[in-house]
Amino acid sequence: MRGIAKSMARTFAVFLRKPVTRDYPSYHKPIPERDRAFPLLLWDEDIHEPFCTGCHACERACPVECMTVLMKDNPNHKTLDGTSSRRKIIDKFWIDYARCMRCNICVEVCNFDAIAMNNTWEGHETSVYDRQDLVMDLQQLLSQSRTGNINEWVPVLGQTNETISEADAEDSEVSN
Amino acid sequence: MVEVLSQTSDRSAEFETQDLLLNVGPQHPSTHGVFRMVMTVDGEVVRDVIPYIGYLHRGAEKLCETMDFRQGIGFMDRTEYLAAFNAELSYVMAVEALADLEVPERAQWIRMILSELNRLSSHFMFLGAFGVDTGVFGTPFIYAWREREALIDLFEEVSGDRMMYAYFRPGGVAWDVPVNFVDRVKEVLISSAQGIDDFDSLLSENEIFLARTQGVGSISAERAIALGMSGPSLRASGVDMDIRRDEPYLKYDQVEWDVITGEHGDVFDRYYCRVLEMRESIKIISQCLDRLAPGPILPEKMPRMLRTPPGEVYLRTEAPRGEYGVYMVSKGGNRPYRCKVRSSCLSNLQALHELTVGEYVADAIIILGSIDIVLSEVDR
Amino acid sequence: MSVELFGTSFNPWVDAAIRLQLVVGFMTVVVMGLIYAERKILARFHQRVGPQKTGPRGLLQSVADAVKLVGKEDLRPAAADPWTFELAPYFVFIPIFLGFVIVPWVQGWNVRLLELGILYFVAISSISIVGWVMAGWGSDNRYAIIGALRAAAQGISYELPLVLALLSAAMLAGSLQLDKIVEFQSAVPLIVWQPLGFFIFFVAALAELNRTPFDIPVGESEIVGGPFVEYSGIRWSMFFLAEYAGMLIMAFVGSSVFLGGYSWPFGEDFGLPFQMLLAAGKGGLFIFLIFWVRASVPRLRIDQLMGYSWKILLPFSFLQILINGFVLVYGLPHIILLITGVLSLGLLFWVTEGIVQRPLEPRRRRARPTIVQEAEVS
C-alpha cells in the first residue's frame, strides 16, 4: 500500500506540473540548422541559374537510387555571350521523395555545393494523396532556394568547431 | 507469499478441457511492432507458444553487400531504429578494423557520449512500453516520451535527424558537434535523471507492479547463457557480462562505472537492471563531457572512397539490448563481400518459449515486453 | 391515483416516463462531460494538455466523438451469433440505466426511493455481467471470450465484498433506503465509523466498474478490449455509455452511503443549490479518485485478482459486519467503531503489503539487482 501511495503521490506531483505539450500545427518548434529533411537544389542568385551542373555524382552515390539527372550544354555560357562560367548545366532532375532515405550522402559528394538538405518545416510536411506527387522535378526542387526560404547548411566532412570562423560559430548555434 | 493469491492447480485431473489457440499479433498493441506468436492456452495458462518473425525483413545485410561502406550506414540505422547510434557504431568499427583506420580522440569521446545517450533513450522507450504492458493507462509511456523527446531533440541538433542519424563514419564522425553541445547534454542529463526518478517512484515499489513482475518469467543463468541471451536480459539472471567492460572499446576503460546484475532473472530484475543501467549511463556521460577536448574528428587523410584490404572481422559492441555484432568479410574494394549482423534481439527472443510456457496469458505479454525486442532488429 | 412532479400532478405512468426521460437526458449529458473530464484529467496526470481543438478548450470533443460513433458503420462479424451479438449492448446498458432509479441526487430529486434501495441497486447492476458474457460469446472471437469469462468471474467475486460493505453501512443507518442513510449522516458521515467498509467498497466498486487496476476484462494491452473487440459504431458506444454511467451511479451511491451525500455537513434543511454543490462535489471527488488510480497503478493478474477478493476482502468485510453487530447489539459507543475500523484497515493494508514483500522462497524474493564488480580504471 505504501508503494501504491508513492505512485499516486508521484502522479499527483506530475498533475501539478506544467504540461509539456507542443501544440504542433499552430506552433512549429524551431528547427536546428543542420536538420535534414529531403534534398533540394540550390539557386545561384548572382547568375540566375542553378548551381548544379548535372555531373551525376549524387545520382551514383545515392544508396536508394532515388535520383534521375539529365544534363545539357549551358546556353548562358560565356562562349555563347552569356554570363555563366558553367559549360554544362542541369537539364532535368527528379528526386523521388518516397524513396529518399535522407542519408545526406548526395550533399557530401556534390562538388559544387549545389544540393542541400531542406532544413525548414516545408521539407517535413510533405503529405500527398498520390505517391506520384512525391516525385519532384527541377522546378519544385529549386523553388524553395529561389524564393530564399532555405537556410543553407552544407556540411563539410570532418569540419571541426575550431576550423570554422567565429561568425559561423554563432550561426551554427541552435536557436532553441 | 504471492502463491496465497494464485492458484495454479492442475485442473486436467478434474475436467476434460480443450486447449484454445490464441493468435497474438502481428497487429496487437503489445507485440512491439509486427511480431506474432501463436499461444496454446488452457484457460488462462499458456501451454505452448510459437513465435513467427519476418514481417519486417528488408534484407539490410544483403543490401549492404551491394553498397560502399558509407552507403551501408543508412541501412544499419534502420536495423535498430531505437538505438541507431549503437548500430552504426558496430558497423563503422567493423569497417575501421578492416581498413585499419585510426579514430581521433575527440571522435571517440563524441561517439561514446552519443551511444550512451542513445542507450538512455532506448531504455526510456523500454520503460514506457513495458509500463503500458503491465497495464498502467499511458502514464509511463508519456513520461518516457517526454524524456525521449528531449534526447531526440539533442540528436537532431547534433546529427540532423531524429532517428536515422547516419552520423558516425568510418574513421570518426561526420562533422563536429554544435558549439553548445556540452551545455545541452548537461541540461538533458538533468531532465533524464528526473525522468528516471519519476519511473522509480511510479513503478519500482508499487505493490501491484511487484506482484505482477516478481517471480514471473524466471530464467536461470545457465539457461540464459545456453540460449545466447545478452545485455540486460542476461545480466538480470546474474551473469556478470558486459562487453563495455570485458572487451573495452572506445574509451570505456577510462571512465568509472559499474556493471549491474540481477539475481533471479525474472521480469522485475530485467526491468530494474535497466533502470539502474540508465543511472550508470548518466554517470558515464558526465565523465565523458569533462574529457571532451578540441581536436580533429576524422583522420588526416581520409580517402574520398574508402577501400579495404581483404580480410574478415567480427566486431561486437554492447547495444542497449545486448550484444550487437557485425561480421564483415572483404575481398578488397569499396564494399563488403559479406555483412552479417548478430542481432541481440533475435537471440534474446529465443528464450521466449522457455519463459512463457506455464505462465498466465497476461504474463506472456509482460515477458515479451521485458526482453525488450525491436522487430526491425529481429528481422533486419 | 396521481403523483406530484414539479408542482403538477400526473398519472403515475406518465410521471414515470417523464422522470425516466429526464434521467436519460441527464445521464447522456453527464457521461459526455465525464468522458471529456477523464481525458482532460488523465492528460494532466500525463503532463499533457488533452483535447483542445474541438471547440473552446476541446469542450465539444465528446460531441464530436458521439457524432462520429453514430455515423460509423455497424459491423457484425460473419461468424457471429446474430441475436446474442446484437442484444448484448442492451443487456449491459439497461441494468445500469435502471440503477438510476434509486439514486437520491439531492433531497426530493429522484425517480423512486425504494425501501430496499441498496438491495435493488446491487441486484440490478449485477445483471450486466450477462451482457458481457453475451458480447464475448456472440462475437466469435477468442479475445472476446477470454474477456467475457474474466468479466463474469470478476463481477461475481467482487459483488460479495461490495454488498457486504454496503450492508455494514446499512446496519448502522438502520435502513436500506438511500435517503434514510443520507439523513442518518447529517452530523457525521459514515466513512468516519466505517473506514474499512469504505475502503472495501471503493476497491470492489473499481472492480465492478472494470476500472484499473481491475480492468482485466478489457485489458487493452493483453486482450485488446475483451468483449468489445468486435463492436463498432453505436453498439460500441453503448458499452462506453454504460461504463461511464455505471461510474457515475457508483460514485453517487458511494458518496450517499459513505460521504454523507447532500446532507453532511450542512444538514438536510440547507438550501437546494448548496445541496447540489455538495452532491456534485462529493461525486466528483469519488470520480477523480477513480481517474487518479487509473493513472497510477498497473493491472492485476486474474489469479491475484480473484484471490484478493475471496481471501482478503471477503474476510475483512465479514469482520466489519461482526464489529458492527457487536456494537449495535450491546449498545457500545460509536467511537469503538472508529478505533476498530482504523485498526482493521491498518491490518488490511499490512496483509496486502505482506503478500507482495514477504519472501517465501528465494525465487520470488524481491530482487534488488546488486552491483557486483567495478570496471577497472586505468
Side-chain angles (χ1 to χ4, degrees):
Chain A
M1 280 297 144
R2 272 170 297 175
I4 292 173
K6 202 172 167 187
S7 304
M8 290 180 68
R10 176 60 60 149
T11 43
F12 196 74
V14 175
F15 184 84
L16 300 176
R17 282 186 212 159
K18 201 168 170 284
V20 289
T21 307
R22 291 173 189 153
D23 192 3
Y24 162 61
S26 44
Y27 165 77
H28 283 72
K29 118 185 150 74
I31 287 192
E33 189 180 32
R34 45 179 81 176
D35 181 85
R36 302 202 303 264
F38 292 105
L40 281 179
L41 293 180
L42 299 180
W43 182 253
D44 191 344
E45 287 291 340
D46 301 334
I47 321 179
H48 294 290
E49 65 181 21
F51 281 111
C52 181
T53 58
C55 69
H56 295 264
C58 49
E59 190 185 17
R60 271 180 279 128
C62 181
V64 288
E65 300 170 359
C66 67
M67 294 174 170
T68 311
V69 183
L70 293 174
M71 94 175 25
K72 66 179 177 190
D73 290 332
N74 192 352
N76 193 25
H77 190 246
K78 278 171 184 157
T79 52
L80 302 171
D81 299 331
T83 49
S84 168
S85 55
R86 293 183 185 87
R87 194 174 291 278
K88 300 281 188 182
I89 195 134
I90 183 72
D91 181 20
K92 290 184 171 131
F93 202 119
W94 291 279
I95 300 181
D96 186 352
Y97 278 5
R99 295 185 77 170
C100 174
M101 67 177 201
R102 307 180 345 277
C103 62
N104 206 38
I105 289 176
C106 49
V107 182
E108 284 162 23
V109 297
C110 185
N111 296 313
F112 306 98
D113 287 353
I115 190 165
M117 303 305 269
N118 192 345
N119 56 1
T120 63
W121 271 103
E122 279 86 65
H124 287 278
E125 294 165 331
T126 52
S127 53
V128 290
Y129 285 104
D130 185 0
R131 286 185 191 180
Q132 277 303 313
D133 296 346
L134 285 172
V135 181
M136 298 290 167
D137 63 14
L138 186 61
Q139 291 314 314
Q140 286 165 309
L141 290 170
L142 280 170
S143 65
Q144 229 180 318
S145 177
R146 286 177 84 161
T147 50
N149 282 337
I150 176 172
N151 187 8
E152 281 171 52
W153 190 73
V154 180
V156 182
L157 273 191
Q159 156 187 296
T160 62
N161 288 338
E162 284 70 44
T163 55
I164 44 177
S165 66
E166 202 68 41
D168 285 349
E170 270 170 28
D171 278 354
S172 71
E173 242 182 89
V174 181
S175 46
N176 59 339
Chain B
M1 201 174 125
V2 175
E3 287 88 46
V4 169
L5 293 187
S6 63
Q7 318 153 308
T8 29
S9 63
D10 189 11
R11 282 164 300 166
S12 56
E14 298 156 30
F15 311 114
E16 193 72 22
T17 56
Q18 195 186 353
D19 285 349
L20 184 76
L21 214 60
L22 189 68
N23 178 40
V24 180
Q27 275 96 29
H28 185 281
S30 296
T31 50
H32 300 265
V34 281
F35 178 66
R36 176 180 172 214
M37 50 183 180
V38 175
M39 294 198 286
T40 311
V41 294
D42 173 16
E44 288 271 348
V45 181
V46 180
R47 293 279 178 238
D48 190 20
V49 56
I50 310 167
Y52 290 89
I53 59 170
Y55 290 96
L56 202 56
H57 178 64
R58 295 145 300 172
E61 295 154 323
K62 194 72 190 166
L63 279 169
C64 281
E65 293 164 17
T66 66
M67 315 217 158
D68 66 44
F69 292 113
R70 177 165 59 184
Q71 290 174 337
I73 297 169
F75 287 92
M76 282 301 131
D77 282 335
R78 282 155 179 82
T79 60
E80 212 331 5
Y81 51 71
L82 291 180
F85 275 132
N86 287 281
E88 280 172 27
L89 184 65
S90 290
Y91 179 82
V92 296
M93 280 172 64
V95 176
E96 280 155 12
L98 270 179
D100 206 15
L101 277 173
E102 190 70 34
V103 184
E105 285 272 305
R106 182 175 169 85
Q108 296 206 19
W109 287 111
I110 292 174
R111 280 182 182 185
M112 199 162 144
I113 293 171
L114 289 175
S115 45
E116 284 301 317
L117 280 172
N118 213 333
R119 187 186 311 279
L120 269 182
S121 83
S122 168
H123 280 353
F124 268 126
M125 173 73 210
F126 160 78
L127 290 182
F130 181 66
V132 171
D133 285 349
T134 57
V136 194
F137 177 78
T139 314
F141 204 70
I142 305 283
Y143 285 11
W145 234 241
R146 192 182 70 208
E147 304 310 331
R148 191 166 170 265
E149 180 68 23
L151 287 159
I152 284 177
D153 278 351
L154 179 67
F155 296 152
E156 190 184 13
E157 284 162 29
V158 173
S159 72
D161 211 308
R162 294 168 71 82
M163 272 173 100
M164 313 298 176
Y165 313 111
Y167 180 63
F168 294 171
R169 296 298 155 89
V173 296
W175 47 80
D176 210 340
V177 292
V179 279
N180 59 351
F181 177 67
V182 175
D183 300 334
R184 286 281 293 126
V185 176
K186 280 178 182 163
E187 255 172 54
V188 167
L189 284 189
I190 292 169
S191 75
S192 295
Q194 166 74 39
I196 300 169
D197 285 346
D198 278 353
F199 271 102
D200 232 359
S201 45
L202 180 72
L203 293 179
S204 303
E205 286 174 49
N206 193 316
E207 276 87 2
I208 298 178
F209 183 79
L210 295 177
R212 279 299 303 280
T213 53
Q214 284 185 354
V216 171
S218 300
I219 189 161
S220 68
E222 291 75 34
R223 287 305 297 158
I225 294 171
L227 289 164
M229 293 171 85
S230 57
S233 306
L234 175 68
R235 288 195 285 276
S237 297
V239 183
D240 182 20
M241 181 253 193
D242 192 322
I243 300 166
R244 289 175 292 175
R245 185 199 60 212
D246 301 338
E247 296 173 9
Y249 53 95
L250 296 179
K251 299 285 181 188
Y252 279 107
D253 48 351
Q254 295 183 23
V255 291
E256 209 170 320
W257 55 285
D258 299 320
V259 175
I260 312 291
T261 61
E263 220 178 317
H264 308 286
D266 56 6
V267 171
F268 181 78
D269 274 17
R270 285 195 282 275
Y271 155 81
Y272 207 68
C273 270
R274 287 189 169 94
V275 173
L276 293 184
E277 217 176 278
M278 287 164 80
R279 297 196 190 277
E280 294 300 315
S281 283
I282 290 182
K283 236 158 82 182
I284 295 177
I285 297 164
S286 36
Q287 290 176 55
C288 290
L289 287 177
D290 300 337
R291 311 277 288 269
L292 190 64
I297 50 155
L298 277 176
E300 290 285 307
K301 284 193 177 164
M302 268 300 282
R304 202 173 162 81
M305 176 64 80
L306 185 68
R307 287 167 203 281
T308 61
E312 68 179 303
V313 64
Y314 175 71
L315 204 138
R316 54 184 193 161
T317 59
E318 182 81 16
R321 288 166 192 78
E323 176 183 335
Y324 190 96
V326 172
Y327 172 71
M328 202 180 273
V329 183
S330 169
K331 290 200 164 180
N334 63 357
R335 55 186 62 175
Y337 175 73
R338 174 85 176 97
C339 175
K340 161 92 178 77
V341 172
R342 188 268 183 208
S343 152
S344 49
C345 293
L346 181 64
S347 309
N348 289 349
L349 197 57
Q350 305 304 318
L352 184 71
H353 186 273
E354 207 151 302
L355 292 170
T356 309
V357 170
E359 304 282 3
Y360 285 84
V361 176
D363 289 340
I365 300 294
I366 61 168
I367 288 168
L368 181 68
S370 75
I371 53 181
D372 192 16
I373 51 167
V374 172
L375 262 295
S376 70
E377 195 189 332
V378 174
D379 297 340
R380 299 191 295 285
Chain C
M1 185 176 136
S2 62
V3 185
E4 287 272 313
L5 181 70
F6 300 133
T8 348
S9 59
F10 289 103
N11 176 301
W13 291 99
V14 177
D15 169 69
I18 292 173
R19 283 171 194 248
L20 283 178
Q21 285 309 313
L22 286 175
V23 167
V24 168
F26 171 76
M27 186 182 72
T28 320
V29 172
V30 172
V31 163
M32 279 177 159
L34 270 184
I35 292 171
Y36 171 75
E38 167 151 46
R39 294 179 67 166
K40 273 292 195 193
I41 290 172
L42 277 179
R44 285 307 299 265
F45 277 122
H46 297 164
Q47 229 182 332
R48 290 186 285 122
V49 177
Q52 50 166 339
K53 298 290 175 204
T54 21
R57 297 186 162 265
L59 271 169
L60 298 177
Q61 184 65 45
S62 300
V63 181
D65 287 347
V67 170
K68 175 247 177 190
L69 281 170
V70 171
K72 199 173 169 182
E73 187 185 356
D74 185 23
L75 285 172
R76 193 179 73 213
D81 183 339
W83 281 98
T84 328
F85 184 84
E86 305 263 322
L87 280 179
Y90 299 96
F91 273 76
V92 173
F93 178 74
I94 290 172
I96 302 268
F97 175 62
L98 286 179
F100 277 92
V101 168
I102 48 98
V103 178
W105 302 106
V106 290
Q107 197 177 18
W109 283 30
N110 45 56
V111 181
R112 276 290 177 276
L113 286 169
L114 303 178
E115 254 176 62
L116 295 174
I118 287 180
L119 190 67
Y120 169 81
F121 168 68
V122 293
I124 203 87
S125 65
S126 58
I127 293 177
S128 66
I129 296 168
V130 177
W132 284 69
V133 176
M134 279 169 71
W137 184 259
S139 308
D140 189 43
N141 183 307
R142 290 169 190 196
Y143 290 116
I145 191 74
I146 290 179
L149 293 178
R150 283 179 177 186
Q154 173 182 334
I156 292 167
S157 307
Y158 277 86
E159 199 75 28
L160 280 166
L162 184 82
V163 174
L164 291 175
L166 286 175
L167 208 61
S168 63
M171 276 172 86
L172 277 191
S175 170
L176 285 170
Q177 195 172 337
L178 274 167
D179 65 330
K180 294 267 172 60
I181 297 178
V182 174
E183 213 172 294
F184 173 78
Q185 302 173 73
S186 53
V188 186
L190 266 171
I191 187 176
V192 176
W193 307 131
Q194 305 278 301
L196 178 66
F198 177 72
F199 179 77
I200 292 171
F201 172 79
F202 184 69
V203 171
L206 282 180
E208 282 292 298
L209 298 171
N210 299 314
R211 305 290 297 185
T212 326
F214 305 101
D215 60 341
I216 60 160
V218 280
E220 288 96 352
S221 66
E222 298 155 18
I223 50 170
V224 239
F228 313 148
V229 68
E230 294 288 2
Y231 283 89
S232 65
I234 187 76
R235 280 176 211 283
W236 184 83
S237 61
M238 278 174 78
F239 282 116
F240 215 63
L241 195 67
E243 189 185 330
Y244 281 85
M247 190 160 74
L248 181 69
I249 193 170
M250 199 63 97
F252 272 91
V253 169
S255 65
S256 302
V257 174
F258 287 101
L259 301 180
Y262 54 83
S263 168
W264 181 77
F266 299 124
E268 300 264 294
D269 308 324
F270 223 67
L272 193 68
F274 287 99
Q275 286 190 6
M276 286 166 89
L277 211 64
L278 265 182
K282 283 171 184 172
L285 191 74
F286 210 93
I287 289 171
F288 181 78
L289 206 58
I290 294 177
F291 292 161
W292 188 5
V293 168
R294 185 177 185 196
S296 308
V297 295
R299 182 183 305 129
L300 279 166
R301 206 169 55 201
I302 177 82
D303 58 328
Q304 295 164 344
L305 177 114
M306 301 292 281
Y308 194 65
S309 167
W310 290 101
K311 294 175 180 166
I312 294 174
L313 284 187
L314 198 59
F316 271 93
S317 38
F318 280 128
L319 178 71
Q320 178 73 72
I321 286 185
L322 271 180
I323 295 171
N324 285 358
F326 271 110
V327 170
L328 289 177
V329 170
Y330 294 106
L332 302 173
H334 274 21
I335 191 77
I336 289 178
L337 278 176
L338 177 63
I339 294 164
T340 51
V342 169
L343 284 181
S344 47
L345 190 63
L347 187 68
L348 175 58
F349 285 174
W350 182 73
V351 169
T352 313
E353 265 183 43
I355 290 164
V356 186
Q357 289 178 341
R358 196 178 310 151
L360 260 198
E361 51 173 310
R363 200 174 76 88
R364 293 180 186 273
R365 203 159 60 211
R366 181 168 195 182
R368 285 280 177 194
T370 45
I371 292 162
V372 287
Q373 195 179 346
E374 289 194 355
E376 283 187 5
V377 185
S378 63

